[in-house]
């Protein structure tokens, strides 16, 4: 019943959006990017999504530092709850902007230092546990922490501090070391967020390259290269949600047998932020797509592709919001599992529409695949 429900929803959704794409498919060749619209689209992506996204992240990490400091100064259950709430807010803000995995985020290992995931061999977990067991004082100072393994200085490490084995000690005096380690992580996160914001706010920096493609541009020699980068952000991020965020803990039906799920492989499973993060990923993608006006890159008779993409985004966000609660509880509930099936089915469709339909409509060559990195 669960699988049938999911497939029915999926097929219904496909029936709604497929005719427009099929009609477009008959007229996709030859197609070309609307080059006059491209600079404005890139500028809006920077000014209305990327820079505001990093500003939000910077503010959220500052709040986390403040909450962590209060917890360490006066340990209590309310102070711990306030810190956990601030942590969840950082997770949401980061999940919204982490889709921009390029430029400054890749420099100095900033992305991995902020979020080390997936941790397939529990490398990070073991290193964090060792710090706590040995009471390594060098991990309680942001300056010395940032030169340690990327696995012990970001969101995953802080989640274990707040929710992992022994976290109840944070309510009292016994948690002093653990709290100081968490405080150093929060300061490190604030520092990284500030660096990312500063890099994107610099008028002559990466934002300048995004806004003015051309032969002298170090990143984009022409409008097509710039459009490829922008659309690639969406394609790679949808692929990430499908393959790196959902599939590790849930793969639907395997050879006709329902997958029981692997909740401990889900991102942020300890804090219950798994689906909140996935939902924020999807919201960030839809916001970028809409606020940058990416539909303006399409030929006039192909604009319905943008409508199909937006329809899928809205459906996926709605489904993610309805997989509420801890992920282990969601996997034990047939209704919520059916929504996970729906998300898996339709992220695959969304990926295809962005990669093939949208990419083809703006003039990318036959066989071009963002997903393959071509």
């Amino acid at each position: 019943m669960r699988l049938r429900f999911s497939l029915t929803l999926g097929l219904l959704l496909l029936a709604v959006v497929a005719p427009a794409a099929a009609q477009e498919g008959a007229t996709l060749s030859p197609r070309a990017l609307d080059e006059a619209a491209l600079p404005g689209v890139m500028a809006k992506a920077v000014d209305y999504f990327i820079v505001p996204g990093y500003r939000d992240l910077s503010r959220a990490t500052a709040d986390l530092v403040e909450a962590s400091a209060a917890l360490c100064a006066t340990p209590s259950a309310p102070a711990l709850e306030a810190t956990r709430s601030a942590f969840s807010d950082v997770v949401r803000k980061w999940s919204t902007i982490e889709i921009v995995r390029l430029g400054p985020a890749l420099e100095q290992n900033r992305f991995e230092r902020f979020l080390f995931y997936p941790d397939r061999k529990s490398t990070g977990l073991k290193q964090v546990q060792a710090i706590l067991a040995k009471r390594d004082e060098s991990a309680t100072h942001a300056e010395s922490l940032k030169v340690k393994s990327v696995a012990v200085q970001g969101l995953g490490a802080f989640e274990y501090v707040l929710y992992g084995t022994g976290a109840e000690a944070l309510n009292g005096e016994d948690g002093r070391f653990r709290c100081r380690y968490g405080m150093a992580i929060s300061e490190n996160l604030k520092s990284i967020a500030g660096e990312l914001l500063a890099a994107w706010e610099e008028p002559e920096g990466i934002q300048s390259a995004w806004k003015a493609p051309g032969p002298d541009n170090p990143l984009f020699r022409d409008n097509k290269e710039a459009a490829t980068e922008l659309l690639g952000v969406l394609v790679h991020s949808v692929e990430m949600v499908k393959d790196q965020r959902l599939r590790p803990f849930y793969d639907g039906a395997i050879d006709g047998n329902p997958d029981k799920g692997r909740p401990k492989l889900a991102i942020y499973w300890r804090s219950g932020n798994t689906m909140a993060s996935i939902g924020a990923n999807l919201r960030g993608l839809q916001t970028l797509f809409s606020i940058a006006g990416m539909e303006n890159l399409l030929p006039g008779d192909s604009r319905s592709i943008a409508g199909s993409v937006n329809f899928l985004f809205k459906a996926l966000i709605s489904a993610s919001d309805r997989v509420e609660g801890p992920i282990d509880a969601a996997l034990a509930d047939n209704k919520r599992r059916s929504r996970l099936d729906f998300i898996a089915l339709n992220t695959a469709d969304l990926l295809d529409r962005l990669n093939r339909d949208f990419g083809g409509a703006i003039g990318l060559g036959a066989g071009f695949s963002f997903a393959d990195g071509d």
Side-chain angles (χ1 to χ4, degrees):
M1 177 66 70
R2 173 182 58 82
L3 185 57
R4 184 181 304 141
F5 173 72
S6 169
L7 292 175
T8 299
L9 281 176
L11 291 172
L12 178 60
L13 180 55
L14 291 174
V16 171
V17 299
Q23 183 179 1
E24 299 293 325
T27 58
L28 281 180
S29 182
R31 284 303 186 214
L33 169 71
D34 186 337
E35 301 215 20
L38 189 281
V41 170
M42 297 294 285
K44 288 177 182 177
V46 172
D47 293 339
Y48 301 144
F49 178 74
I50 298 176
V51 171
Y54 282 127
R55 284 177 183 155
D56 288 345
L57 181 65
S58 185
R59 283 191 287 265
T61 54
D63 291 344
L64 181 60
V65 169
E66 184 177 341
S68 299
L71 174 62
C72 293
T74 310
S76 67
L80 175 57
E81 183 57 33
T83 306
R84 286 174 169 173
S85 178
F87 169 80
S88 294
D89 188 46
V90 171
V91 167
R92 289 189 293 271
K93 297 299 192 300
W94 166 254
S95 298
T96 299
I97 196 63
E98 72 167 313
I99 62 173
V100 185
R101 191 171 183 170
L102 48 80
L106 299 183
E107 297 168 1
Q108 301 176 30
N109 292 322
R110 289 189 183 103
F111 191 98
E112 288 76 14
R113 288 170 56 214
F114 208 100
L115 175 64
F116 179 72
Y117 181 87
D119 185 9
R120 294 184 177 90
K121 297 183 179 180
S122 298
T123 302
L125 173 62
K126 293 172 185 175
Q127 291 176 354
V128 170
Q129 290 172 329
I131 286 173
L132 293 171
K134 296 175 182 178
R135 293 179 177 259
D136 178 2
E137 285 294 331
S138 66
T140 64
H141 303 281
E143 284 303 309
S144 50
L145 178 64
K146 73 179 183 181
V147 299
K148 289 183 178 292
S149 164
V150 297
V152 303
Q153 54 177 291
L155 289 174
F158 203 10
E159 183 185 41
Y160 189 84
V161 168
L162 292 176
Y163 293 91
T165 303
E168 63 279 358
L170 290 169
N171 287 325
E173 295 298 318
D174 291 344
R176 290 292 188 181
F177 173 82
R178 191 182 190 112
C179 195
R180 286 189 289 117
Y181 174 36
M183 178 71 183
I185 297 174
S186 71
E187 291 173 342
N188 185 57
L189 293 172
K190 178 184 175 183
S191 176
I192 297 169
E195 291 169 4
L196 290 167
L197 176 59
W200 278 98
E201 283 187 323
E202 171 56 47
E204 301 305 316
I206 189 172
Q207 70 160 269
S208 176
W210 268 54
K211 292 178 179 179
D216 297 326
N217 188 311
L219 295 181
F220 311 123
R221 293 168 297 179
D222 55 37
N223 287 336
K224 185 175 179 180
E225 287 188 359
T228 298
E229 180 83 303
L230 181 59
L231 185 54
V233 169
L234 275 75
V235 170
H236 289 304
S237 297
V238 172
E239 187 178 38
M240 175 198 74
V241 170
K242 179 176 73 75
D243 294 336
Q244 296 182 17
R245 299 302 164 84
L246 184 61
R247 184 173 292 171
F249 74 87
Y250 184 72
D251 212 12
I254 302 175
D255 296 328
N257 299 312
D259 177 17
K260 293 181 179 180
R262 299 158 296 283
K264 291 186 178 181
L265 293 183
I267 193 169
Y268 308 122
W269 67 270
R270 287 185 175 88
S271 60
N273 279 308
T274 300
M275 296 310 298
S277 173
I278 290 174
N281 290 151
L282 293 166
R283 280 190 176 83
L285 288 165
Q286 185 184 32
T287 300
L288 173 59
F289 185 81
S290 299
I291 206 166
M294 289 184 66
E295 69 177 86
N296 294 322
L297 301 179
L298 293 163
D301 59 355
S302 296
R303 295 293 175 88
S304 62
I305 293 174
S308 299
V309 168
N310 263 316
F311 190 91
L312 280 164
F313 270 131
K314 290 176 183 178
L316 286 165
I317 291 167
S318 177
S320 298
D321 289 345
R322 293 161 64 203
V323 187
E324 62 281 340
I327 202 61
D328 53 348
L331 288 169
D333 178 75
N334 286 340
K335 184 176 289 187
R336 282 178 283 181
R337 286 167 68 95
S338 72
R339 291 167 185 158
L340 290 171
D341 289 336
F342 177 85
I343 295 168
L345 177 68
N346 288 289
T347 49
D349 185 47
L350 177 59
L351 181 63
D352 190 52
R353 290 177 186 278
L354 288 167
N355 194 26
R356 183 198 64 195
D357 296 349
F358 200 106
I362 62 174
L364 299 179
F368 186 96
S369 174
F370 293 95
D372 293 337
D374 294 335

